[in-house]
Amino acid sequence: MSTAAANLWNRAAPLASEPTSPPTRPAEPCDAELIRASLAVPNEFAGVFDRHADEIHAYVVRRLDLNQADDVTAETFHVAFRKRRRYDLTRPDARPWLYGIAANLIAGYRRAEVRRLKAIARVHHDVDVHEEERSVERASAAAMRPALAGAIARLTAAERELLFLVAWADLTYEEAAEALKIPVGTVRSRLHRTRAKLRRRLDLPQEPTS
């Protein structure tokens, strides 16, 4: 090996011995970034739809029915697109905002929702006390027992909306407060009163206060 070649190898050898890392993939933009981009390029908002439409649709199906869910979901994103300039771009996750819009639209179907709950309540189904108690905590579609459905049908619209946002949409208290535009303290106190009301109507033990 010539002196020049040896010198070149000595310079390159340390680099050759270093492990090579795979190329990094760019991070996906958060919802706020997509909404910001959509202000200049409207088609960028499609990313928000692709990310959240299935989840919003599944939530509305639980509340109403399939046909109404199609309409409400489409209108939710139509309203969101029209109002995207008002979105708080400091919030990276648009889910609470979208659920808040959906909640306002579902309110127009309040009678249909109550009728659906009362129809479930008329179905006879034997269930033990422990199973009913778990249903109150989850209030999920799979756990919607007739007695629980009847009790939920008698809640106020505000109580029912908050209960479902927390139990079905799996929003945190902070996210539910954002969706409903109410203080977090109101979320906590209203949800506690709502669950206590359901327990009384189902003759279940009250939650400990400590």
Side-chain angles (χ1 to χ4, degrees):
M1 180 182 293
S2 67
T3 302
N7 289 337
L8 182 60
W9 171 254
N10 289 335
R11 290 167 56 190
L15 298 178
S17 65
E18 293 178 358
T20 57
S21 57
T24 57
R25 297 176 60 184
E28 291 188 1
C30 67
D31 294 336
E33 291 169 337
L34 289 172
I35 293 171
R36 181 188 289 111
S38 77
L39 299 179
V41 183
N43 283 344
E44 291 292 329
F45 195 82
V48 179
F49 177 87
D50 292 342
R51 188 174 289 171
H52 300 297
D54 287 347
E55 180 180 342
I56 296 295
H57 185 267
Y59 174 73
V60 183
V61 166
R62 289 178 171 184
R63 300 283 304 272
L64 303 172
D65 64 30
L66 185 58
N67 292 331
Q68 293 168 334
D70 290 345
D71 293 340
V72 170
T73 302
E75 185 64 16
T76 294
F77 285 92
H78 179 67
V79 171
F81 179 78
R82 286 193 292 105
K83 295 185 175 182
R84 69 192 189 282
R85 292 185 181 277
R86 305 180 194 175
Y87 183 73
D88 183 356
L89 294 173
T90 65
R91 298 184 181 275
D93 185 2
R95 288 172 66 250
W97 178 58
L98 294 170
Y99 273 111
I101 295 172
N104 287 334
L105 295 170
I106 289 171
Y109 295 84
R110 188 172 302 158
R111 290 182 180 177
E113 181 179 36
V114 172
R115 283 197 302 269
R116 179 173 179 270
L117 289 168
K118 288 181 177 178
I120 297 173
R122 287 193 294 269
V123 176
H124 177 72
H125 179 70
D126 294 326
V127 59
D128 63 39
V129 172
H130 295 295
E131 186 176 4
E132 195 73 81
E133 187 168 1
R134 288 194 299 271
S135 297
V136 171
E137 294 308 308
R138 298 194 307 271
S140 66
M144 185 62 77
R145 306 299 176 186
L148 177 59
I152 290 176
R154 294 164 59 195
L155 295 174
T156 67
E159 291 169 338
R160 193 164 53 246
E161 195 66 62
L162 176 57
L163 179 69
F164 286 151
L165 284 175
V166 173
W168 284 1
D170 200 27
L171 296 189
T172 65
Y173 288 0
E174 291 75 14
E175 290 170 338
E178 180 185 344
L180 298 176
K181 295 181 173 59
I182 59 177
V184 176
T186 301
V187 168
R188 295 181 187 279
S189 59
R190 183 180 298 171
L191 191 60
H192 178 76
R193 290 196 303 269
T194 299
R195 285 176 170 158
K197 186 182 294 186
L198 290 176
R199 285 175 172 274
R200 285 195 301 272
R201 289 175 178 172
L202 296 170
D203 292 325
L204 297 173
Q206 293 298 313
E207 293 178 305
T209 55
S210 58

